[in-house]
Amino acid sequence: SNIKMGIGVKHGYEPTDTIAIVTKSKGNIVYELNHKPAAEVYCKMAHANLEAFKKYTIPTLTKAPFGVADIQGDYWLNCPYAVTKENGLIFFEPVAPGTALYLMKPKNKKDYIKAAEIAINNATNELQELEGLIVFSCSARLMYLGEEIKKEYEVIKKVSKDKPFIGFCSYAEHATIPSGSIYKHGYTFVTFGMTNKLINE
């Protein structure tokens, strides 16, 4: 489109010093981390029970997902959603052997919600006349925030002011990150700001 627009992407997690290296993978299945069954390594990293993790994979990961660093030093989430019979991990996106996976943690719920506000501001700061927003909030964010998920709505209203918006709870979000790559995200808040102005105006 020739309409001026902006994109904001933020998840609210921070990298920890706990890192695992993908030592065996094919496509989106990681068989081994640090030369050991991937799910077992993750559970040790995240202090999670393996059997409980198999049953409640995504709820466990909302508290401690994996992140991958980009060339600009930002960390983007690439998370498994299931465990194989051999205790491998099935990810949403392909994971190449040799990839360093950082264990990520949310600082607190306040900063987790603040991520939505930052994403909206990033999407709208360069727009002179905002006309509307489309927002996508990962359904897994609801698992972590619980009743506090309504605060995301309050943040959207605060930033968009009197402008209309529409939003969805989604399952994996696609967006362009600051490095310019189009990436599939998880547990992330993505927003798209629109104006009624053309790029050449």
Side-chain angles (χ1 to χ4, degrees):
S1 173
N2 289 325
I3 294 176
K4 289 181 181 178
M5 61 188 73
I7 297 172
V9 186
K10 200 75 175 175
H11 49 66
Y13 292 89
E14 298 178 343
T16 68
D17 294 330
T18 305
I19 307 168
I21 304 299
V22 178
T23 48
K24 184 179 179 182
S25 68
K26 184 177 181 180
N28 66 327
I29 301 178
V30 174
Y31 298 97
E32 293 182 359
L33 294 171
N34 302 338
H35 301 288
K36 296 178 181 178
E40 296 174 19
V41 174
Y42 170 79
C43 287
K44 186 174 181 180
M45 294 169 68
H47 305 291
N49 176 273
L50 179 59
E51 294 308 312
F53 176 60
K54 290 178 180 179
K55 189 174 181 180
Y56 303 107
T57 305
I58 292 179
T60 302
L61 283 159
T62 60
K63 299 176 183 177
F66 280 124
V68 180
D70 69 10
I71 58 174
Q72 293 185 339
D74 293 317
Y75 294 82
W76 304 103
L77 306 182
N78 187 3
C79 303
Y81 63 86
V83 180
T84 69
K85 292 180 180 179
E86 297 77 23
N87 289 339
L89 293 172
I90 306 174
F91 281 69
F92 285 107
E93 285 284 277
V95 186
T99 300
L101 297 176
Y102 291 76
L103 191 71
M104 309 287 285
K105 290 286 182 98
K107 189 174 181 181
N108 53 52
K109 288 188 176 182
K110 182 179 179 181
D111 282 358
Y112 199 73
I113 296 166
K114 181 74 175 178
E117 183 174 353
I118 294 171
I120 296 170
N121 284 329
N122 288 344
T124 60
N125 279 343
E126 301 299 321
L127 304 180
Q128 295 176 340
E129 296 180 28
L130 178 68
E131 289 299 320
L133 287 172
I134 301 176
V135 299
F136 301 87
S137 181
C138 183
S139 298
R141 294 176 68 82
L142 172 60
M143 294 183 188
Y144 177 70
L145 288 174
E147 287 293 321
E148 293 188 59
I149 190 69
K150 60 187 178 184
K151 292 183 179 179
E152 279 194 351
Y153 172 75
E154 294 169 4
V155 164
I156 298 167
K157 287 186 66 177
K158 171 186 172 184
V159 180
S160 64
K161 298 178 181 176
D162 61 335
K163 300 301 180 181
F165 61 88
I166 185 171
F168 307 88
C169 284
S170 48
Y171 294 89
E173 299 69 50
H174 292 76
T176 303
I177 58 177
S179 65
S181 300
I182 296 176
Y183 198 81
K184 183 191 291 182
H185 304 268
Y187 313 163
T188 299
F189 186 96
V190 174
T191 186
F192 177 72
M194 297 171 289
T195 70
N196 64 355
K197 300 292 184 181
L198 296 177
I199 294 171
N200 60 359
E201 288 188 68

